[in-house]
Amino acid sequence: MSERKVLNKYFPPDFDPSKIPRRKLAKDQQHKVRLMTPFSMQCTICGEYVAKGKKFNARKERVLGEDYLGIQVFRFYIRCPRCSGEITFKTDPQKADYVAEHGAVRNFEPWRDDDDANEAHRALRAAAEENNPMKALENRTLDSKREMDILDALDEIRMRNARSERVDANGVLDGIIGQGIEERELARRTIEEHDDALAKAIFKNAVDGDLVRRIVDGDDDDDDEWDAAAADDAAAATLDKAVRIVKSRAPVLETAGDSFLAPTAPKRKAASGLDLGVVIKKKKPASASASASAAAAAAKPTPVTQRRPPPPPPAASKPSALAMLGAAYGDSDSDADDE
């Protein structure tokens, strides 16, 4: 048991390998192997596709009578995973590939067609050069020229790569960025000039050729002052209008003074002839009071619009006989007191 996993086995001193009997096996004997499909194929019986690299338990055998430069050709047997049909393929030492033999066809591969075309072209060239030395010389000359062209192209590519390695990447990027900035600035200036020309053409007066003045930043102060003055005027006009409306709605009384708005005074009791001890002063004539009221109204500013006109002044009442008698006696008493 100790020698089960070692690499070297023990051979006795008298060991002779020629004395070991050899088994005689048939040349076409098959062996069971485990393999993967070397190419994608399609079963000709059921149409099942078998992908490249699929694992199968296969049987392997030698192909009698077929070899390439002493290399033996082998055949493999597998079964379709769907219909269990037998599929065989064998090795191709000449192309280092495999060839489908029976039960399946190989799927289309474009590079295999190119290889076949190149192989056919080489065969035709070899047949043409076999009995024609001049044709062989021409072909070799063309091949030499083609190789020189390829070498020149490779040298040019190497020189270009060397120049690219010597170039400073940061400098190139800075130049590209700066060029982009200059182009954007030039485009912006061009657009501004176009807009100015268009504005001048639109705002130009067709009669006298004058240009409409544009508002600049320096005119903001003047606009602010003008707006403040206009606001003050509007506020004063509103206040004056409100005062006039209030005065027009208030009760108008005829008084001796210049008071225009005054509360309503209580009415005095009319004098009678029995009240002889009461001193009654003489009233001012109605004409004088009316003229004073008219003068005061004329002095006041006349409103532009009024909702309701002021009420007319009250008419002067005629004095009675008793009032005239009382006034006469009152004057005589005042004269006697003065004397």
Side-chain angles (χ1 to χ4, degrees):
M1 294 297 292
S2 61
E3 296 179 359
R4 186 169 62 88
K5 294 184 179 180
V6 296
L7 298 178
N8 297 324
K9 303 293 184 180
Y10 172 74
F11 294 97
D14 57 349
F15 175 74
D16 187 5
S18 61
K19 296 181 179 179
I20 299 175
R22 295 180 177 273
R23 295 184 302 171
K24 292 183 180 180
L25 300 176
K27 293 183 179 181
D28 58 349
Q29 185 179 3
Q30 297 180 354
H31 304 277
K32 291 183 180 180
V33 294
R34 180 78 171 173
L35 56 79
M36 293 187 295
T37 53
F39 52 82
S40 60
M41 63 186 75
Q42 183 182 11
C43 180
T44 56
I45 299 175
C46 64
E48 177 71 11
Y49 286 94
V50 180
K52 179 180 179 180
K54 187 175 179 61
K55 294 182 179 181
F56 286 93
N57 293 324
R59 291 178 289 115
K60 172 186 173 182
E61 69 176 7
R62 292 185 179 184
V63 180
L64 300 179
E66 292 186 17
D67 59 353
Y68 175 74
L69 301 178
I71 301 174
Q72 185 64 43
V73 178
F74 294 93
R75 182 183 289 113
F76 301 92
Y77 297 87
I78 61 174
R79 292 191 174 275
C80 176
R82 183 177 180 181
C83 65
S84 299
E86 191 175 55
I87 299 173
T88 61
F89 57 91
K90 59 183 180 179
T91 58
D92 187 4
Q94 183 178 358
K95 298 180 180 179
D97 199 359
Y98 292 82
V99 179
E101 186 178 19
H102 175 73
V105 292
R106 188 168 184 170
N107 293 334
F108 176 73
E109 296 172 348
W111 59 86
R112 296 182 65 249
D113 291 347
D114 296 340
D115 295 340
D116 294 341
N118 294 333
E119 186 65 25
H121 178 69
R122 285 194 294 269
L124 291 175
R125 180 176 176 177
E129 293 177 355
E130 185 176 0
N131 298 323
N132 192 351
M134 295 299 298
K135 186 66 174 177
L137 180 61
E138 290 178 1
N139 292 337
R140 287 194 296 271
T141 305
L142 293 175
D143 293 340
S144 301
K145 184 179 180 180
R146 189 180 301 108
E147 291 178 358
M148 292 177 63
D149 294 340
I150 293 173
L151 292 175
D152 293 341
L154 290 175
D155 293 338
E156 184 178 358
I157 292 172
R158 291 193 188 98
M159 293 175 61
R160 189 182 306 158
N161 293 337
R163 288 196 301 269
S164 300
E165 291 177 357
R166 289 194 298 269
V167 172
D168 186 10
N170 295 329
V172 173
L173 292 176
D174 294 340
I176 293 173
I177 294 171
Q179 184 179 2
I181 293 174
E182 293 178 357
E183 292 178 356
R184 288 195 295 271
E185 185 66 21
L186 179 61
R188 186 183 64 80
R189 288 199 299 268
T190 304
I191 293 173
E192 289 181 355
E193 293 176 358
H194 177 71
D195 293 342
D196 293 341
L198 183 62
K200 290 180 181 179
I202 291 174
F203 291 103
K204 186 175 182 180
N205 192 353
V207 178
D208 53 1
D210 295 336
L211 297 177
V212 179
R213 181 175 176 272
R214 293 181 60 184
I215 298 175
V216 296
D217 297 338
D219 296 340
D220 293 342
D221 299 337
D222 299 339
D223 295 341
D224 296 340
E225 294 178 359
W226 180 83
D227 293 340
D232 294 340
D233 295 341
T238 304
L239 181 60
D240 190 10
K241 183 177 180 181
V243 171
R244 289 197 298 269
I245 292 173
V246 171
K247 288 182 179 181
S248 64
R249 292 185 178 182
V252 180
L253 299 176
E254 294 295 336
T255 59
D258 294 334
S259 61
F260 185 72
L261 297 176
T264 305
K267 295 183 179 180
R268 296 180 64 182
K269 187 177 181 181
S272 62
L274 300 177
D275 297 332
L276 299 179
V278 178
V279 179
I280 300 175
K281 292 185 178 182
K282 187 177 180 180
K283 291 184 178 181
K284 292 182 180 181
S287 59
S289 63
S291 60
S293 301
K300 298 292 181 180
T302 304
V304 179
T305 57
Q306 293 182 354
R307 295 186 180 180
R308 194 171 69 182
S317 60
K318 294 181 179 181
S320 61
L322 295 176
M324 293 176 64
L325 181 60
Y329 281 109
D331 293 337
S332 62
D333 295 339
S334 62
D335 294 337
D337 294 337
D338 293 337
E339 291 179 358

